[in-house]
Amino acid sequence: MNLFESVCHAFGTVATGGFSPKNSSVAGYSTYIQYIIMLFMILGGTNFVIHYYILKREFRKLKRNEEIKFYLFTLLSIGTLITCILILKMHKPVEEAIREGFFQVISILTCTGYTTADYLTWPVYAWIIIFQKLLSPNAVIPVRINKKTIDDKFNSQILSFISIYLIVFIAGSLLLTAIGLDIKTAGGSVATCMAGIGPGIGSVGPAGNFAHLPAAGKIILSFMMLLGRLEIYPILIMFTRGFWRL
């Protein structure tokens, strides 16, 4: 990798932006480079508070922090599961399966968006695992962060945000299907744009791009990227009467 490409990929990795000077993203680079980018994607997706603890050598606080434990456990467990699927179902060599499985998982979970493999060629349940998480619908589990229970008011605010997020996702997907996109591409496009990931599902997967979408679709998805980046509320407030009265 030359100096220009290394600078571009360093910015794209640490900022979890995912833009690459090459259409093949990171797939065309060496195994060594892919592992380096994996490491720095993990660091880029880590809370800055954790970075501060490490720099200040406050390892006791780091050890007690539940966020970093959950973050690393999620990456490790899902990455291991995908690796096993690639070995057992696609008969990939162990090292290649580990590298491809963990790279795609880390890239998507940190919203970086780099790719080294077309995960849509994997078994369907493998790439669905990366994008979904299932919980017991009847479980009553208090929400805690670092052993402190989050009050009901704050939980309600979170649930309200999630509900609005899902409504916007469904509305955007329906709009795209109305202009001719298949449901898989429509849903995948809206999901990846709102989450700021990069590659999606369908024709906008890791082996494709958004260039073929109609102009109306690109406008809709541009709006979805704004909503996702600004976390919905600032944009929605602009459409209220109270905002324009100020």
Side-chain angles (χ1 to χ4, degrees):
M1 184 181 289
N2 61 40
L3 179 61
F4 173 75
E5 292 174 351
S6 66
V7 171
C8 290
H9 285 92
F11 277 121
T13 299
V14 175
T16 64
F19 283 103
S20 172
K22 291 190 175 183
N23 274 341
S24 60
S25 189
V26 185
Y29 295 105
S30 69
T31 299
Y32 168 78
I33 288 175
Q34 291 178 24
Y35 279 116
I36 292 297
I37 289 178
M38 286 166 63
L39 172 62
F40 282 91
M41 282 194 296
I42 293 174
L43 291 173
T46 302
N47 192 322
F48 285 151
V49 173
I50 304 300
H51 293 185
Y52 177 79
Y53 289 160
I54 294 173
L55 289 173
K56 298 291 289 185
R57 298 185 180 181
E58 296 180 358
F59 298 115
R60 290 184 179 179
K61 291 184 179 180
L62 189 64
K63 187 177 180 180
R64 293 195 300 265
N65 190 280
E66 293 181 356
E67 179 184 339
I68 188 65
K69 290 179 181 178
F70 180 77
Y71 173 59
L72 295 177
F73 173 78
T74 301
L75 291 177
L76 183 61
S77 58
I78 298 179
T80 301
L81 180 58
I82 297 298
T83 297
C84 291
I85 291 173
L86 296 180
I87 294 173
L88 298 175
K89 296 297 182 180
M90 299 192 68
H91 308 292
K92 288 182 176 289
V94 174
E95 187 280 326
E96 182 181 345
I98 292 172
R99 177 163 39 88
E100 284 192 5
F102 273 92
F103 192 101
Q104 269 54 240
V105 168
I106 293 168
S107 179
I108 291 172
L109 291 187
T110 59
C111 295
T112 304
Y114 283 138
T115 57
T116 59
D118 184 0
Y119 50 75
L120 296 184
T121 62
W122 298 351
V124 174
Y125 53 84
W127 50 264
I128 288 179
I129 288 171
I130 299 177
F131 285 92
Q132 290 182 355
K133 180 178 68 176
L134 301 178
L135 297 175
S136 174
N138 297 319
V140 179
I141 305 172
V143 178
R144 295 187 178 91
I145 297 179
N146 294 330
K147 299 182 180 179
K148 295 181 180 179
T149 303
I150 305 301
D151 60 50
D152 292 337
K153 181 180 179 181
F154 189 70
N155 283 336
S156 297
Q157 293 173 347
I158 295 173
L159 290 174
S160 297
F161 177 81
I162 293 173
S163 299
I164 294 173
Y165 196 98
L166 290 175
I167 291 170
V168 172
F169 166 74
I170 293 170
S173 300
L174 292 176
L175 284 174
L176 290 180
T177 55
I179 62 174
L181 274 66
D182 63 274
I183 189 64
K184 185 187 295 184
T185 300
S189 299
V190 173
T192 192
C193 285
M194 290 184 70
I197 296 174
I201 298 172
S203 63
V204 297
N209 55 51
F210 294 80
H212 66 284
L213 300 184
K218 292 175 182 175
I219 292 173
I220 292 170
L221 292 175
S222 296
F223 182 68
M224 292 296 164
M225 283 191 284
L226 283 174
L227 281 174
R229 176 57 63 187
L230 298 177
E231 299 193 351
I232 299 178
Y233 287 134
I235 298 294
L236 295 182
I237 288 173
M238 292 177 60
F239 295 95
T240 63
R241 292 182 180 180
F243 174 82
W244 298 103
R245 288 175 182 172
L246 297 176

